[in-house]
């Protein structure tokens, strides 16, 4: 019985060890969004988790809240998946896509697609830059684009 328990513990440790490379993250971010003839600043926060897919690739999920800094808007909640490759020393190049809820009471939600680059800035700190294109669910709203920068912590 003891041999079985030791074998199970060793197998669990071997399976769990690669998971240590996976990481949770939280970030603050800001940027600019434009579309329909308007350009406005944005601020937000996000939390996510990335899973290693071998030594050079990853995939992850993120939940975010972003606010356009103008009257008549509210926080748009984003649900995003991302996948990419690890580059250089602590860099991640990725594509993303997902859904963002409406930014105002008269707006519609948006599908979004984009790309970004995240770079480690030390042991736990990272910075990133990201582009997103918003595709409204309703044809009555114009497409929009955004560029943002973020600063976050990895766990």
């Amino acid at each position: 019985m003891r041999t079985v328990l030791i074998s199970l513990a060793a197998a669990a440790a071997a399976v769990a060890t690669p998971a240590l490379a996976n990481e949770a993250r939280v970030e603050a971010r800001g940027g600019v969004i434009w579309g329909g003839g308007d350009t406005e600043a944005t601020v937000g926060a996000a939390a996510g988790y990335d899973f290693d897919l071998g030594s050079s690739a990853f995939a992850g999920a993120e939940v975010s809240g972003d606010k356009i800094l103008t009257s008549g808007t509210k926080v748009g909640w984003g649900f995003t998946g991302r996948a990419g490759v690890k580059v250089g020393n602590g860099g991640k190049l990725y594509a993303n896509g997902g859904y963002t809820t409406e930014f105002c009471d008269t707006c519609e939600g948006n599908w979004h697609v984009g790309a970004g680059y995240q770079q480690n800035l030390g042991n736990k700190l990272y910075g990133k830059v990201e582009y997103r294109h918003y595709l409204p669910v309703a044809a009555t709203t114009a497409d929009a684009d955004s560029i943002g920068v973020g600063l976050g912590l990895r766990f």
Side-chain angles (χ1 to χ4, degrees):
M1 181 66 164
R2 186 167 65 179
T3 305
V4 171
L5 290 176
I6 292 171
S7 298
L8 287 174
V15 169
T17 300
L20 295 175
N22 298 332
E23 63 187 19
R25 57 189 166 75
V26 294
E27 70 186 50
R29 58 194 192 184
V32 63
I33 187 168
W34 66 94
D38 293 325
T39 302
E40 299 293 341
T42 63
V43 296
Y49 194 87
D50 289 338
F51 301 91
D52 285 338
L53 300 175
S55 62
S56 62
F58 72 95
E62 176 181 280
V63 176
S64 60
D66 294 294
K67 172 87 168 78
I68 299 173
L69 297 178
T70 189
S71 62
T73 62
K74 60 184 182 181
V75 174
W77 297 100
F79 305 93
T80 305
R82 70 182 198 165
V85 294
K86 299 173 189 176
V87 294
N89 186 15
K92 291 181 173 181
L93 182 64
Y94 59 90
N96 65 24
Y99 182 79
T100 302
T101 63
E102 67 275 358
F103 286 109
C104 66
D105 288 332
T106 60
C107 301
E108 298 291 330
N110 299 275
W111 294 105
H112 63 261
V113 295
Y117 180 76
Q118 177 179 314
Q119 178 64 50
N120 291 348
L121 303 173
N123 191 28
K124 297 290 182 186
L125 192 65
Y126 70 87
K128 79 176 199 181
V129 61
E130 184 174 282
Y131 165 80
R132 282 191 181 176
H133 180 72
Y134 295 91
L135 303 154
V137 173
T140 58
T141 307
D143 288 11
D145 296 280
S146 71
I147 293 180
V149 295
L151 185 62
L153 292 172
R154 297 176 293 115
F155 304 96

